Amino acid sequence: MDDADPTPDTVLVSFGELGTKSREVRGKMTRRLRDNVAALLDDRGIDATVDREWARIVIHADDPDRAARVAADAMGVVWARPAVRCAANLDAIEETLAALASDADPVDTYAVRARRAGDADDHPFTSRDIEREGGRAVGVATDATVDLDDPDRTYHVEVRGARAHVTATTYEGPGGLPLGTQEPLVALVSGGHDSPVAAHEVMRRGAPVIPVYVDLGVYGGPDHVARAVATVGRLDRYAPNFDCRLRVVPGGDLAETLIEDVEDTRMLSWRRALLRIAETVAEHEDAAGIVTGEALGQKSSQTAANLTATDAAIDLPVHRPLLTWDKPDILDRARAIGTYEDSSIPVGCERLDPPFPETGATREAVEAAEPADFLDRAAAAVDDLRIVTVDTADADAR
């Protein structure tokens, strides 16, 4: 038998949680995932076909490795693997595994994991047979040692019908649900580390985001806007078939009013203004709620009492996916999704923080301290909203 060609010729994409849904819902979500993967590939200049086969999304592209890396950015994807197709018999699978192992960079340890679907009549071997015989073939080809607990490389074999897919590389995806399977949410973004991570988290659960940045004017400066634009650009690369353009709302006059008229509860009134602005945008965009990067107790404005006082400014629900996260975990996620560097751009002091911020405010105290028309002015500021199209030309996440 001739040596097998170790060059991947297809990509297998696995989806997780949506596989637990009812047949009708699963079908709709899988079609959405297929469309989202196709949009990502097209946005990054990869000519490919994307289909659903049994419990997988299957991609055919000239560069399967790059296609797999891009597909692994899609919300709802658990993993993507560039694969070599071969006949569904033990000889062909062993030969393909040996060829892949010989062609790859050497490692000290390895494991073979197999998944065979179908009746015993379809294949006269089991998944365990594939792992045992395929593992022996890899060992002969490489002199590496089997390690089933913590291998340097794991080879995967999937067998269904007359075809097997053999892989040596796995790109982990974000999991969750396909983007677009939930209603959109307005995401308040500040340009800092927390808000883009929060936006990414609800995107991972299927909700497209409508990013909104409230410009502090002279109390923030152009570097603040630049951070927001850059971080939203990173988020936009995950959603090329959704409208993830940044909405910028002027807030300099609101900030000036607070600095002149409000003391200890100034930041709480500012948060209330942000929420009222976000709610107004949500009404225009038919969004179902608002998402923020707030974490319980992380800042003086984010105590349990203060969050209650700020949420009272609006009727829509406020989603806080980072509510219980520690800051190091937020920073780790920011690095993973690519927003950390942009959010770390040095900027000047905002000058909005009061000398002695209130940490246990009541709704009544906050409302009494802020100008009577303050929240109405915040809602009216949306009339001057401008949309910024972010540059995602250099968008490859991996």
Side-chain angles (χ1 to χ4, degrees):
M1 185 179 295
D2 294 335
D3 290 338
D5 183 353
T7 306
D9 54 13
T10 191
V11 178
L12 288 187
V13 179
S14 172
F15 44 85
E17 185 175 341
L18 68 89
T20 67
K21 305 296 183 181
S22 68
R23 182 174 181 177
E24 180 180 0
V25 172
R26 183 170 64 250
K28 290 179 179 178
M29 287 191 171
T30 306
R31 288 191 291 274
R32 168 60 72 179
L33 179 60
R34 179 195 61 202
D35 293 345
N36 291 350
V37 169
L40 277 171
L41 293 167
D42 181 67
D43 184 63
R44 304 198 192 170
I46 299 176
D47 186 18
T49 61
V50 183
D51 299 303
R52 178 186 175 183
E53 295 183 14
W54 24 280
R56 297 284 181 259
I57 300 292
V58 180
I59 302 170
H60 299 284
D62 290 339
D63 187 346
D65 186 79
R66 183 164 179 249
R69 285 186 283 120
V70 171
D73 279 342
M75 310 302 172
V77 167
V78 175
W79 51 253
R81 295 172 181 156
V84 180
R85 291 175 295 177
C86 68
N89 61 71
L90 272 180
D91 287 342
I93 293 169
E94 291 174 35
E95 185 179 343
T96 303
L97 279 167
L100 270 176
S102 299
D103 189 61
D105 293 334
V107 294
D108 293 329
T109 61
Y110 71 95
V112 175
R113 306 293 186 191
R115 181 175 182 268
R116 190 213 63 169
D119 297 331
D121 292 341
D122 295 332
H123 311 105
F125 53 84
T126 64
S127 297
R128 183 70 185 89
D129 292 333
I130 298 171
E131 293 174 349
R132 183 179 61 252
E133 300 303 325
R136 181 179 296 116
V138 172
V140 170
T142 64
D143 290 330
T145 302
V146 172
D147 183 347
L148 300 181
D149 296 321
D150 186 25
D152 297 328
R153 177 177 294 130
T154 301
Y155 299 89
H156 292 271
V157 181
E158 293 205 4
V159 179
R160 183 179 291 267
R163 181 180 299 166
H165 289 84
V166 184
T167 69
T169 303
T170 296
Y171 296 106
E172 302 292 340
L177 298 174
L179 196 60
T181 57
Q182 299 295 314
E183 296 301 313
L185 299 172
V186 170
L188 281 168
V189 296
S190 64
H193 292 295
D194 302 339
S195 54
V197 173
H200 186 272
E201 282 299 292
V202 296
M203 291 170 71
R204 198 180 67 81
R205 296 304 304 170
V209 296
I210 302 162
V212 171
Y213 172 76
V214 181
D215 187 354
L216 282 159
V218 297
Y219 301 100
D223 288 339
H224 279 261
V225 181
R227 286 201 316 186
V229 171
T231 55
V232 169
R234 297 288 178 178
L235 293 175
D236 186 59
R237 70 187 179 187
Y238 295 104
N241 50 333
F242 295 88
D243 186 0
C244 199
R245 294 174 299 170
L246 179 64
R247 280 74 168 169
V248 178
V249 177
D253 290 345
L254 297 171
E256 184 173 14
T257 295
L258 292 178
I259 289 174
E260 292 177 351
D261 298 342
V262 181
E263 293 296 334
D264 295 354
T265 58
R266 182 186 303 162
M267 285 306 300
L268 302 185
S269 288
W270 177 250
R271 297 300 304 175
R272 285 159 57 85
L274 296 180
L275 292 175
R276 181 61 69 86
I277 288 170
E279 183 178 58
T280 305
V281 174
E283 291 170 354
H284 293 168
E285 300 280 357
D286 292 327
I290 297 161
V291 57
T292 78
E294 293 164 306
L296 189 63
Q298 186 183 118
K299 295 180 179 179
S300 60
S301 62
Q302 297 174 21
T303 65
N306 286 353
L307 293 177
T308 300
T310 56
D311 283 7
I314 64 172
D315 295 323
L316 280 179
V318 181
H319 302 280
R320 296 182 173 94
L322 310 185
L323 186 70
T324 62
W325 287 36
D326 292 337
K327 191 68 173 187
D329 296 328
I330 296 173
L331 296 180
D332 286 345
R333 183 61 60 84
R335 293 185 182 96
I337 66 175
T339 60
Y340 178 85
E341 184 175 347
D342 294 321
S343 295
S344 299
I345 297 172
V347 296
C349 178
E350 294 176 359
R351 308 205 312 268
L352 192 58
D353 292 336
F356 304 102
E358 177 61 66
T359 59
T362 64
R363 170 183 177 177
E364 293 74 17
V366 176
E367 291 177 346
E370 68 190 20
D373 65 343
F374 184 67
L375 294 184
D376 290 337
R377 287 172 54 195
V382 175
D383 292 341
D384 295 318
L385 174 150
R386 63 186 175 92
I387 296 178
V388 177
T389 301
V390 295
D391 183 9
T392 57
D394 183 20
D396 248 330
R398 297 169 183 265

